[in-house]
Amino acid sequence: MRIFRLWLAERWLFRRVAKLTLSKAHALLGPYIADFPHTMEFFMHPVKSTFLTCISAFALLGGSASFAQALNLGATLSGAAEVPPNASAGMGQLQAEFDKATKTLRYTLRYNGLSGPVKAAHFHGPADAGKNAGVALGINNAGDSPVQGSAVLTSEQAADLLAGKWYVNLHTAANPGGELRGQVAPE
């Protein structure tokens, strides 16, 4: 299937390049390649342009592998998810992206309706839903929603996060153990 996609991409690009005449190509790209007069002749040569088309297709299709390294994560925060549960009317949402290659976690946390200002916010783990755990990663500047941040995780933290063993917890003065909580999971 991958070979077929490469062939198809090559044919599509070749047809676009083949329709260009040398004069049209000079008119389009002339200002950009004025210092390199032989560049256009190189690109217009049928064998060389087909070769470049193949290389471009490999680069485009190979570049998509980096997207596979990013994983979208999320959590819905509520008082009912706290351990023990509370009757908070607050709600929250975490949207995160984890880059497996660099072990970088980028997140945006939104919340509203809390009993008071957020005093602290953390990622906790490792713990399954319904269990408590210590702080795995602090969330800075969580006093105002939305909160954005990023952190590079250790290999152990990354493994726990990807196993669904992290949760987000927002703490307030009325609920110092946590007012809102949500288990982080792949979306």
Side-chain angles (χ1 to χ4, degrees):
M1 184 65 177
R2 186 176 174 104
I3 301 272
F4 176 73
R5 289 191 332 207
L6 289 173
W7 177 82
L8 191 61
E10 186 271 339
R11 296 309 312 154
W12 182 84
L13 287 172
F14 180 73
R15 286 188 183 133
R16 298 313 178 268
V17 171
K19 287 181 183 178
L20 283 177
T21 63
L22 189 56
S23 60
K24 284 183 186 176
H26 271 293
L28 288 171
L29 300 173
Y32 303 106
I33 60 166
D35 296 334
F36 306 100
H38 300 292
T39 304
M40 192 54 61
E41 285 81 3
F42 178 82
F43 284 114
M44 294 306 293
H45 188 277
V47 173
K48 292 176 183 173
S49 65
T50 301
F51 173 74
L52 289 175
T53 302
C54 289
I55 295 298
S56 299
F58 276 116
L60 288 171
L61 294 172
S64 65
S66 64
F67 293 113
Q69 295 296 321
L71 177 66
N72 291 324
L73 304 166
T76 300
L77 287 71
S78 69
E82 282 291 346
V83 178
N86 64 51
S88 174
M91 302 171 72
Q93 187 70 37
L94 172 78
Q95 292 174 311
E97 180 182 270
F98 180 69
D99 186 324
K100 295 177 188 176
T102 63
K103 296 186 180 101
T104 301
L105 176 67
R106 290 180 181 80
Y107 57 87
T108 301
L109 177 61
R110 293 177 174 80
Y111 59 85
N112 60 28
L114 301 177
S115 63
V118 172
K119 298 293 183 185
H122 311 99
F123 287 97
H124 291 258
D128 292 319
K131 305 285 185 188
N132 287 326
V135 173
L137 179 67
I139 298 174
N140 295 326
N141 304 317
D144 294 320
S145 178
V147 181
Q148 293 185 329
S150 66
V152 177
L153 306 183
T154 66
S155 294
E156 185 179 337
Q157 288 175 322
D160 290 339
L161 174 68
L162 295 176
K165 298 201 177 271
W166 271 26
Y167 63 91
V168 183
N169 210 1
L170 298 179
H171 306 268
T172 60
N175 294 282
E179 182 162 340
L180 297 182
R181 173 179 167 157
Q183 200 76 20
V184 180
E187 290 186 327

